[in-house]
């Protein structure tokens, strides 16, 4: 279950007077850029745990090491709320600011040193938060999303093995089954652009992640290179040197290169796109980790964005549409693997009886006397919309990509299709599916982007759904619209062998209604839904698939998993 925590700010230690951005940058500029990058990298790594985004034990130890004894005692004083001095969002912000405001020949921090430690508290003062509370309910929900989306992403924990499996299943199993023109051979295109076969890229990513999986403070103190990546790490593989070099260059940049890119593309303090693109920074021949989750995310994001960047505007639209169909295929395959055909029965791409060339929706899951009408959306959202702290811009993009753009999007598609088959007068029929025994319809959107499980987004989309829905004309019960992300769908597969999807959604709705939350909270972070036990369990379907994928990557690298000498091998 997700728990909220509050971070300390500089103002709390200075009579409620926050630092100015100018003061923060002036103090920051005293220090060595490369040393600050290393320090933030180490703190970020030390805070990470296998099953949790941050380690409280490591956090408190770092506070005592960085601050004076008096200040550390003040910051670590027990209280009612969970409080943090260091957190991922802040550390990434300090790294960004250091790229633009520091020189490599700046002074090296001496710890414990309050002057240095307070830099991080000052940074927390400058993480943006919209304070204006909107008037309309819709705008309140978007305001929540704009404020909390960066926080949710920064607080999330990334299971890298699931990222690899998801990407493998989408690109090597779902994609070849998509019958669409134009058809994009993403693995071949990726190799043509990068010089790496996609399977080799995934395998090298896997090897790099194993290098950074465990942070050993003692080994790092002995030699910081122990927590860095070098070309030699892959010396035991059979991957050609040219492809290893291509991978290392593809995933890393020097501080100067990062700074240059940041000057060109920066949508605000919460935009860490440069680190998502280059999650490793170079210091000599060594590559150091910016952020583990960003390195893991690149497994999924790199194929799409690498190809996207080479296309013109018109072809990008076609490519995005194709990507959406690949995600739709992946989602339907995942559901089919999870259901038994009785408790939850899947109907892929149902069409109208009178219009066989027009789909009702992407899938219908029949659950006894209820049915979920499902739309999969592979849409990507811009960095400005997600991280620009601009609710109006986020609302515009949500409307355009999930409600109505050049044509009907998920919300309008579900609204129109459900009204067509549920209206009192001359309802349309669905080919191969008798709706007479269905009493209740659950509209459900599943997004590829994590925005679908961001606080406030479901509630906003439900408002937009209700605006266009004529409930009085329906002879069946139609619930509010639900929205989840692909990650939540994957977690739901653990339950669909024993519970109806619609029962889980109804339980979520009842809990939100009882708490007055208007479906604003994401499915797996809402307390009180007793149907969702053991929420931290990994999706069994993907866990099983990982065994085969892991072996493929070991084979691709030419490694022997039984070899005891693993010091130089990414296994």
């Amino acid at each position: 279950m997700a728990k909220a925590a509050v971070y300390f700010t500089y103002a709390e230690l200075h009579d409620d007077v926050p630092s100015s951005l100018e003061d923060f940058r002036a103090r920051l500029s005293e220090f060595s850029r490369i040393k600050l990058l290393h320090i933030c990298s180490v703190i970020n790594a030390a805070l990470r745990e296998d099953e949790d985004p941050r380690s409280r034990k490591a956090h408190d130890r770092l506070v005592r090491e960085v601050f004076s004894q008096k200040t550390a005692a003040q910051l670590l004083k027990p209280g009612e709320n969970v409080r943090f001095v260091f957190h991922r969002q802040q550390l990434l912000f300090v790294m960004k600011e250091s790229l633009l405001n520091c020189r490599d020949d700046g002074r090296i921090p001496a710890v414990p040193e309050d002057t240095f430690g307070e830099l991080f508290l000052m940074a927390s003062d400058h993480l943006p938060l919209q304070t204006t509370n909107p008037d309309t309910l819709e705008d309140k929900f978007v305001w929540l999303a704009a404020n909390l989306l960066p926080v949710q992403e920064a607080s999330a924990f990334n299971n890298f093995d699931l990222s690899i499996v998801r990407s493998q299943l989408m690109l090597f199993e779902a994609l070849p089954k998509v019958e669409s023109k134009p058809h994009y051979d993403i693995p071949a295109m990726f190799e043509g652009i990068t010089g790496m076969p996609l399977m080799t890229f995934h395998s090298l990513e896997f090897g790099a992640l194993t290098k950074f999986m465990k942070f050993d403070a003692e080994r790092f103190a002995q030699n910081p290179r122990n927590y860095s990546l070098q070309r030699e790490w892959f010396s035991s593989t059979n991957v050609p040197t040219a492809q290893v070099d291509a991978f290392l260059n593809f995933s890393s940049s020097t501080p100067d290169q990062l700074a240059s890119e940041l000057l060109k593309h920066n949508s605000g303090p919460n935009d860490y796109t440069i680190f998502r693109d280059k999650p490793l920074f170079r210091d000599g021949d060594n590559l150091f980790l910016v952020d583990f989750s960003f390195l893991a995310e690149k497994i999924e994001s790199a194929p799409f964005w690498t190809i996207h960047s080479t296309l013109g505007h018109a072809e990008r639209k076609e490519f995005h549409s194709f990507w959406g169909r690949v995600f739709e295929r992946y989602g339907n395959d995942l559901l089919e693997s999870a259901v038994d055909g009785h408790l939850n029965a899947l109907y892929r791409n149902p069409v109208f009886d009178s219009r066989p060339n027009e789909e009702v929706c992407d899938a219908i899951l029949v659950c006894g006397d209820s049915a979920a009408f499902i739309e999969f959306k592979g849409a990507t959202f811009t960095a400005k919309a997600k991280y620009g702290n601009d609710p109006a811009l986020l609302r515009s993009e949500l409307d355009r990509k999930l409600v109505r753009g050049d044509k009907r999007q998920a919300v309008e598609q579900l609204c129109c299709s459900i009204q067509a088959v549920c209206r009192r007068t001359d309802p349309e029929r669905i080919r191969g599916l008798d709706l007479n025994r269905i009493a209740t319809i659950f509209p459900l959107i599943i997004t590829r982007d994590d925005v679908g499980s961001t606080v406030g987004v479901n509630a906003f989309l439900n408002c937009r759904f209700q605006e266009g829905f004529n409930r009085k004309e329906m002879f069946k019960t139609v619930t509010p619209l639900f929205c989840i992300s692909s990650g939540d769908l994957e977690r739901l597969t653990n339950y669909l062998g024993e519970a109806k999807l619609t029962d889980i959604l109804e339980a979520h709705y009842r809990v939100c209604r009882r708490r007055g939350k208007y479906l604003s909270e994401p499915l797996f972070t809402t307390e009180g839904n007793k149907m969702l036990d053991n929420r931290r369990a990994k999706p069994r379907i993907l866990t099983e698939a990982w065994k085969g994928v892991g072996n493929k990557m070991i084979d691709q690298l030419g490694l022997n998993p039984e070899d005891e000498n693993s010091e130089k091998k990414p296994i």
Side-chain angles (χ1 to χ4, degrees):
M1 181 67 63
K3 293 182 179 179
V6 181
Y7 53 72
F8 283 97
T9 62
Y10 177 85
E12 292 184 62
L13 300 186
H14 294 83
D15 301 321
D16 292 327
V17 179
S19 64
S20 69
L21 188 58
E22 292 73 21
D23 288 343
F24 165 68
R25 287 174 172 167
R27 185 180 296 192
L28 186 73
S29 67
E30 299 174 13
F31 297 97
S32 163
R33 177 177 66 173
I34 194 66
K35 291 300 180 184
L36 276 172
L37 290 175
H38 279 293
I39 289 169
C40 290
S41 168
V42 169
I43 294 175
N44 203 3
L47 291 179
R48 181 183 171 275
E49 285 190 332
D50 283 347
E51 297 299 332
D52 201 282
R54 60 201 38 76
S55 163
R56 183 78 218 194
K57 182 179 178 181
H59 172 272
D60 292 355
R61 184 180 68 248
L62 285 164
V63 171
R64 294 186 182 97
E65 290 176 354
V66 171
F67 290 89
S68 67
Q69 186 175 358
K70 178 182 177 182
T71 304
Q74 185 177 353
L75 293 169
L76 297 177
K77 184 179 180 180
E80 292 182 6
N81 297 318
V82 179
R83 305 295 305 274
F84 282 94
V85 174
F86 301 109
H87 54 97
R88 181 175 176 236
Q89 193 178 5
Q90 163 214 70
L91 294 166
L92 294 170
F93 176 70
V94 172
M95 294 181 91
K96 266 182 65 173
E97 288 290 317
S98 68
L99 288 171
L100 299 179
N101 295 286
C102 298
R103 304 185 317 274
D104 286 341
D105 62 353
R107 79 179 182 90
I108 299 174
V111 292
E113 178 187 346
D114 282 351
T115 303
F116 174 65
E118 284 180 351
L119 266 178
F120 297 93
L121 300 179
M122 295 170 85
S124 292
D125 282 343
H126 302 293
L127 297 175
L129 178 68
Q130 284 278 344
T131 56
T132 303
N133 201 355
D135 294 327
T136 70
L137 196 58
E138 287 184 14
D139 286 337
K140 287 180 187 291
F141 293 139
V142 177
W143 176 86
L144 271 174
N147 277 289
L148 293 179
L149 193 155
V151 177
Q152 275 190 231
E153 287 197 357
S155 302
F157 178 79
N158 190 300
N159 289 301
F160 79 90
D161 50 348
L162 302 186
S163 297
I164 295 175
V165 173
R166 187 183 303 123
S167 187
Q168 288 267 316
L169 294 179
M170 282 188 64
L171 297 178
F172 291 106
E173 295 194 18
L175 184 148
K177 301 172 187 174
V178 174
E179 297 178 2
S180 174
K181 292 184 179 181
H183 186 93
Y184 293 86
D185 187 342
I186 293 176
M189 295 175 73
F190 180 82
E191 181 175 0
I193 297 167
T194 65
M196 293 179 286
L198 185 55
M199 178 61 80
T200 298
F201 167 68
H202 280 172
S203 302
L204 292 171
E205 273 274 1
F206 168 56
L209 286 164
T210 61
K211 175 67 175 178
F212 294 112
M213 196 177 308
K214 296 287 186 182
F215 176 74
D216 188 324
E218 292 184 4
R219 292 194 73 228
F220 178 84
Q222 293 169 3
N223 185 352
R225 291 179 75 252
N226 287 332
Y227 199 66
S228 70
L229 186 67
Q230 304 91 29
R231 178 198 284 177
E232 291 73 27
W233 179 248
F234 300 104
S235 62
S236 299
T237 72
N238 63 5
V239 179
T241 301
Q243 291 183 9
V244 172
D245 289 342
F247 168 74
L248 297 177
N249 291 329
F250 186 67
S251 302
S252 68
S253 282
T254 66
D256 284 339
Q257 289 169 333
L258 288 169
S260 176
E261 194 63 26
L262 186 57
L263 288 171
K264 300 175 191 174
H265 305 288
N266 185 10
S267 296
N270 284 322
D271 180 8
Y272 305 119
T273 302
I274 59 161
F275 296 142
R276 284 184 161 90
D277 184 42
K278 304 291 185 181
L280 302 170
F281 69 91
R282 287 182 176 269
D283 186 1
D285 293 331
N286 303 300
L287 278 62
F288 292 88
L289 185 67
V290 173
D291 184 81
F292 187 88
S293 288
F294 286 165
L295 183 60
E297 284 178 20
K298 195 169 177 67
I299 294 168
E300 294 184 78
S301 62
F304 175 85
W305 290 112
T306 298
I307 295 170
H308 166 94
S309 67
T310 68
L311 303 176
H313 177 71
E315 195 171 6
R316 281 181 180 180
K317 292 183 68 174
E318 292 181 340
F319 178 63
H320 283 233
S321 179
F322 177 77
W323 182 258
R325 288 190 287 276
V326 174
F327 173 58
E328 175 193 328
R329 178 75 199 204
Y330 168 75
N332 268 323
D333 287 351
L334 192 66
L335 281 174
E336 188 168 72
S337 299
V339 303
D340 61 2
H342 300 289
L343 200 62
N344 297 282
L346 177 65
Y347 293 80
R348 291 173 176 254
N349 309 105
V351 297
F352 293 103
D353 207 26
S354 61
R355 294 173 280 158
N357 292 325
E358 185 175 341
E359 289 187 359
V360 178
C361 53
D362 292 332
I364 294 177
L365 200 65
V366 175
C367 315
D369 63 354
S370 60
F373 280 46
I374 301 171
E375 276 288 311
F376 295 101
K377 294 303 297 181
T380 56
F381 289 78
T382 64
K384 285 185 178 180
K386 294 178 72 173
Y387 313 122
N389 200 232
D390 184 345
L393 182 60
L394 179 60
R395 174 174 180 146
S396 174
E397 199 150 317
L398 287 169
D399 270 333
R400 182 162 48 87
K401 295 184 175 180
L402 295 179
V403 182
R404 184 177 182 87
D406 298 336
K407 58 181 182 179
R408 289 175 185 167
Q409 297 298 335
V411 172
E412 281 202 2
Q413 176 70 23
L414 287 172
C415 184
C416 292
S417 291
I418 291 172
Q419 288 187 129
V421 300
C422 294
R423 63 192 178 214
R424 296 181 185 278
T425 305
D426 193 25
E428 296 211 41
R429 296 180 180 275
I430 299 175
R431 180 163 294 186
L433 176 59
D434 182 5
L435 288 183
N436 286 329
R437 58 190 177 90
I438 303 299
T440 307
I441 305 293
F442 289 72
L444 173 63
I445 296 173
I446 301 173
T447 65
R448 176 68 189 83
D449 196 294
D450 286 341
V451 72
S453 290
T454 297
V455 173
V457 168
N458 190 160
F460 167 73
L461 294 177
N462 180 50
C463 287
R464 303 293 278 130
F465 177 81
Q466 301 301 335
E467 288 173 6
F469 194 74
N470 188 349
R471 195 169 296 277
K472 293 181 179 179
E473 294 298 318
M474 302 299 104
F475 72 96
K476 295 181 185 293
T477 300
V478 179
T479 72
L481 178 137
F482 295 86
C483 182
I484 62 175
S485 67
S486 58
D488 280 353
L489 171 65
E490 290 161 357
R491 295 163 76 183
L492 273 174
T493 59
N494 281 351
Y495 302 89
L496 297 183
E498 301 174 354
K500 297 175 183 176
L501 173 62
T502 53
D503 285 349
I504 295 173
L505 296 176
E506 183 174 3
H508 174 59
Y509 169 73
R510 291 185 182 280
V511 169
C512 288
R513 185 177 182 182
R514 187 165 61 245
R515 300 176 64 201
K517 295 296 184 180
Y518 298 98
L519 286 174
S520 60
E521 293 186 355
L523 180 66
F524 277 92
T525 59
T526 303
E527 295 186 28
N529 188 345
K530 296 180 180 179
M531 296 194 71
L532 297 178
D533 59 346
N534 195 19
R535 300 184 184 199
R536 303 189 71 158
K538 293 182 179 181
R540 288 189 292 272
I541 292 174
L542 297 193
T543 302
E544 284 298 313
W546 165 249
K547 298 174 183 177
V549 169
N551 287 333
K552 285 181 183 178
M553 291 188 296
I554 290 172
D555 290 342
Q556 184 78 10
L557 295 173
L559 298 177
N560 178 7
E562 302 301 324
D563 195 328
E564 294 181 0
N565 180 21
S566 61
E567 178 61 23
K568 291 187 178 182
K569 294 183 178 182
I571 56 174

